[in-house]
Amino acid sequence: PFTEGSDGHTYGEAVVSMLLTHSGQNSLFCIENVATKQCSSELPDGMPDADAMVAAIQETLGTTSVDEIRYLELHGTATPMGDMTEMDAVTEVYGESTSLYLGCSKGSYGNVFEANTLLECLKCYYVMKRKVVPGSTNFETLNPHLDWKESYRYGSQTVTMNEPIHYSAINGYAFEGTVGHVLLSFDDTRDAEDALKRKDVVHESLL
């Protein structure tokens, strides 16, 4: 995805299971907000709608400043029009954010359809927890036709950050024309994985 000459992604398989709670205690991460929109019916099947993406991103972020979001997991259709449309929407909302790291997992495991966002939630969790942004598999040269801000950081090399990451986001698109955005947060003082290692008291369903 987002590389010059890309012509689509492959299909993959995945099984992801998550337990949702209301308390936020001893949790891996918190889902702060989610918004979905529907693309224009005038567009052909499989063609994302930048206006719908912008609306979903704006509704999801709400009053959260884009400068607080350190990592954004992109959908990445790996097609010239799909990648261009997604980046048009991202740059319209996130603008010239100087702290935004970008990633896309489809180069690693392909398109796993309904499991995409759950896998991406887990990836965002480990990005926030470990402060490490994995490089994008099979990325070579950035597509020159994309509206890509110089301050955006994306590539094949894994990056380790010194500063904490408290917020990340996921941009998604379904073939049927639904687009969505998810805002996640991480608090290392309530991290379930660390709690298990410390043998703290956690909910029995996490054991």
Side-chain angles (χ1 to χ4, degrees):
F2 307 102
T3 191
E4 186 174 15
S6 60
D7 58 357
H9 53 248
T10 59
Y11 299 151
E13 296 181 351
V15 176
V16 183
S17 178
M18 289 186 183
L19 173 68
L20 302 180
T21 68
H22 291 287
S23 67
Q25 294 296 322
N26 294 321
S27 58
L28 297 181
F29 54 84
C30 179
I31 301 174
E32 296 286 346
N33 204 4
V34 178
T36 60
K37 300 294 179 182
Q38 199 67 23
C39 296
S40 170
S41 60
E42 298 178 359
L43 294 174
D45 290 343
M47 180 69 69
D49 185 339
D51 290 338
M53 281 189 176
V54 167
I57 297 171
Q58 290 176 332
E59 183 175 325
T60 300
L61 301 187
T63 59
T64 304
S65 170
V66 295
D67 291 327
E68 294 184 74
I69 301 169
R70 305 304 314 283
Y71 179 73
L72 172 61
E73 177 72 11
L74 299 168
H75 174 75
T77 63
T79 62
M81 184 57 68
D83 288 352
M84 187 182 303
T85 300
E86 181 172 14
M87 286 312 303
D88 285 345
V90 167
T91 54
E92 180 168 339
V93 180
Y94 284 88
E96 296 283 1
S97 175
T98 58
S99 59
L100 189 62
Y101 290 81
L102 305 174
C104 184
S105 301
K106 288 186 176 61
S108 299
Y109 56 73
N111 189 347
V112 294
F113 299 95
E114 289 84 356
N116 277 328
T117 303
L118 293 180
L119 274 175
E120 290 158 358
C121 282
L122 290 177
K123 178 182 177 181
C124 285
Y125 162 67
Y126 281 109
V127 167
M128 292 186 291
K129 175 182 175 63
R130 298 177 178 174
K131 297 183 287 188
V132 172
V133 179
S136 295
T137 307
N138 296 322
F139 176 81
E140 296 178 356
T141 304
L142 187 67
N143 185 339
H145 301 293
L146 301 179
D147 181 15
W148 201 280
K149 304 302 181 183
E150 292 185 3
S151 58
Y152 293 173
R153 304 164 191 179
Y154 179 88
S156 60
Q157 301 299 314
T158 297
V159 178
T160 301
M161 291 179 285
N162 297 321
E163 63 274 14
I165 307 174
H166 297 300
Y167 290 95
S168 63
I170 300 169
N171 198 53
Y173 169 67
F175 185 79
E176 296 80 4
T178 302
V179 296
H181 209 70
V182 183
L183 178 62
L184 307 175
S185 66
F186 171 73
D187 182 353
D188 55 8
T189 65
R190 299 186 302 177
D191 184 28
E193 189 174 54
D194 286 345
L196 287 170
K197 291 178 181 178
R198 295 192 306 266
K199 298 183 180 180
D200 289 349
V201 177
V202 296
H203 194 283
E204 60 180 357
S205 57
L206 292 175
L207 296 176

